[in-house]
Amino acid sequence: MRLNTVAAAFGLIGLVATAGAAQAQDYPTRPITMVVPFAAGGPTDTVARLIGQSMSKTLGQQVVIENVGGAGGTLGAARVAKADADGYTVLLHHIGMATAATLYRKLPYKLPDDFAGVGLVTDVPMTIVAKKDFPAKDLKELITYVRANKDKVTLANAGVGSASHLCGMLFMSGIEVSLTTVPYKGTGPAMNDLAGGQVDLMCDQTTNTTGQIKGGSIKVYAVTSKTRVPSLPDVPTTTEAGAPNVQVGIWHGVYVPKNTPAPVVAKLEGALQAALKDETIKARFADLGTEPEPMDRATPAALNAYLKAEIDRWAPVIKAAGVYAD
Amino acid sequence: MTRLRNPGNLIGGLLLIALALFTFWQTADLEIGRAMRMGPGYFPRLLAILICAMGVLLVAISAFTPGPRLERWSWGKLALVLGAIIVFGFTVRPLGLVLSGAILIVLSTLAAPDSRWKETAVFGVGLLAFVTLLFPVALGLPLAIWPRF
Amino acid sequence: MDILANLWLGLSVAASPINIALCLLGVLVGTLIGVLPGIGPIATIAMLLPITFNLEPVGALIMLAGIYYGAQYGGSTTAILVNMPGEATSVVTTLDGHQMARQGRAGAALAIAALGSFFAGCVATVVIAVLGPILSKVAQSFGPAEYFSLMVVGLIAATVLASGSVIKAIAMILVGLLLGTVGSDIETGAQRLTFDIGELADGINFTTLAIGLFGIAEIIRNLERPEERGVLDRKITGLMPTWADIRQSFPAVLRGTTLGSILGILPGNGAVLAPYASYTLEKKIADDPRRFGKGAIEGVAGPESANNAGAQTSFIPLLTLGIPPNAVMALMVGAMTIHGIIPGPKVMESNPTLFWGMIASMWIGNLLLVVINLPLIGLWVRLLKVPYRLLFPAILVFCCIGVYTLNNSAVDVVLVAVFGFVGYGLLKLGFEPAPMLLAFVLGPLMEENLRRAFLISRGDPMVFVQRPISLGLLLVALALLAVVVLPAVRKKREEAFQED
């Protein structure tokens, strides 16, 4: 028998006045809903399920994942923005949280004001990859080639607002060239056409590319993180390879609605930090080609500041590309 | 007024034309582009034109070929079943699975020609117990079971 | 002899007691959710993912795969008994399967579906083992131009799904295509026909549309005509198919299996076409095509076999290329990554026990399914004896819960009611919804790939005829068009003459 069933049954017969107004000190007294604004099974969902499972142990209450997909993650974020600020509804979202501020001209919530950060979770690096018989040898050659053949080279992405779309925009603005972008619905079909040689280039998360890189079906030129990625030790960073302004990671953060009581946020922060120290989480993240954020980044202050900085950073890039999602 | 020869085709055709016009109106602000470089509005409007053509064709045919007479609509049953579904959609979150499920069962049973309420009550309790055990409990779907106060 | 050794390795993995138990659990859960209207394998697999954290990766994937193909089996049961397709692939089964049930032959329809699926599953397993790696490379040469041409073939075939007026069928196909355009534009992100409803930004969900058009409309129709429904719970003739049925079905099963195995390999979700292709083929080569739509057993046997073969071979792109061809396979990718296996072209070499274990488990799973399902037929058929006044509220409850849990939003539930209304109207005006559903599934794929092909070719329309596979498919489409249109024209003329 689940606790919430029992607790709710009590509520029904009027023995417990309100569950919503439970004292912040007792928090949590019932299961916590973690909203993932994407479909189940994707990389963000995987991160949420790993983190949620570990946080359940620390909090002593089940963290239930609720997938509220749609509209580039804005539907799920809107639901959390409107939820009670009691800590029982939290949001796990990635970089799309910040880019939505520019990509969507009519958002049903205010960014960053409607949310309070709990902490950063992980920063998944991106890889610049190409079809396996692409002529360039390294990133420098690639840039020269792309500039010389900008009418011929095609750049794939997984749809408006996706990680690969963002990285592609940054790549093009970073090397000051505009390519024909070929959009797909999701990473799977985009990767299929890249491996099949139908399109030339893509920039996507290590989560999606590592298997194909190791299998030799696509070619890798650089990772977009500050340091090299342990699962791809031979691949240079963009800074090493000569494109220092192409630096991007798919960072994930946990949020609660604004005005959530500080003790509740602190409890969630503690649970998040405990999860990030968990050895199994570290191992799973390594499999995904990423690692947990250090403790000083898994804090409300760090996430709030980072969200603001990222909103400001992406606004000009997206406006320059002139692509909006609504 | 003379009876329509083929009301199914006539009404169907008129509805198709209406759908086409509606689509045109709704996609008015979408960029069309060219066949080789389609914009977001190209495909929907191409379809609207073709749908309109089919509508005109059906209307034309209805003038020349006879068809079956229009069947009567059971508006009452339609409203009850569809209403029950809509009420469920809006109540399942605030009221929880058990209460909104009960409302769904009661409202839809009103549409049955041969309802027996005692039987429905017993069956409904069993059904709700089954779905509660299956979905939120066993499968862990994020569905509230009881109302939250 | 490599293959024998590999299959032996796979069997030794899959036949361990724990893995057989997981496989059984998977197919049982799959059958259950497949039978319940409105609940699909996607939601179930997503919910069960965390439970698999504590299992060995091979066992976890065996169980999840079992849910997937178990749900395909179960889905046909609901399609036959209550005319409710839960998946894109079981729409065709409703056409003749439910008609058979209305004629008191639900048992035969269910049995032939199970036996055909079993046969197809066995063959498809061998196909994966023997040809998988080679075929997947060929399949990858399918680019946007080829997929576009394939979708054209599919759309022309869609007209064959209707048994009435061709003009009405074409109108339904166009409306289906239009419904498919609802949502964000893939290239620019512009909102098309979404009426500022955020939930529509990702398009209309197939389950929502299918349940409304078929299921809800059917319920209201049954309620207004209790006497027609009465046929269902009276005379039920024989639970098993007769020898004549089997003789009639076997060639259809063979053809369906072949079609399904081929289409399933395509990484762009070719499996979704398999049952439709099979139905079109059966109807076109039948001596008397008029039987179709009125309870022709080949119309159940062929598509069901194609469906199951396609479901199995759609694991090929996932296992050999690391590319998920549909939403369920995307979840399997999630499951693999959670277990530390990064899907990619190397999985077969780096994880041979996983690869061959899963393949062998599919054969075991199919065997379990047929063993479970044949005795269950009696139970399912008896379900039809439950008075309709109790059965239909139960169906509604399952549909509503299933649709609600797709995105945990009320909008989807409301849409079911809207499409229920549309479906009822279509019935009343003599339009058939099946071609519309197929067009709805194919439309977005067709538009996307057309635009993508033009982007890559810089607007050169010659790509469609310069690439040999694309050209071949377009020629097939032309031939099919001739086959479809000519008899229709002839019929129209005959009708015209009769009138004079």
Side-chain angles (χ1 to χ4, degrees), chain A residues 111-148:
Chain A
L111 271 176
D113 309 351
D114 282 355
F115 297 91
V118 171
L120 282 153
V121 179
T122 179
D123 198 347
V124 184
M126 310 280 286
T127 46
I128 296 172
V129 290
K131 64 178 179 185
K132 61 174 177 290
D133 50 359
F134 196 71
K137 227 173 39 252
D138 54 28
L139 191 66
K140 275 216 176 77
E141 267 190 49
L142 176 108
I143 294 171
T144 323
Y145 182 86
V146 164
R147 281 190 180 135

Side-chain angles (χ1 to χ4, degrees), chain C residues 386-418:
Chain C
V386 174
Y388 200 62
R389 59 178 179 272
L390 298 178
L391 191 59
F392 87 88
I395 297 175
L396 283 178
V397 167
F398 286 116
C399 287
C400 286
I401 295 177
V403 169
Y404 178 77
T405 50
L406 287 174
N407 285 314
N408 297 306
S409 106
V411 174
D412 284 315
V413 185
V414 174
L415 279 177
V416 164
V418 172

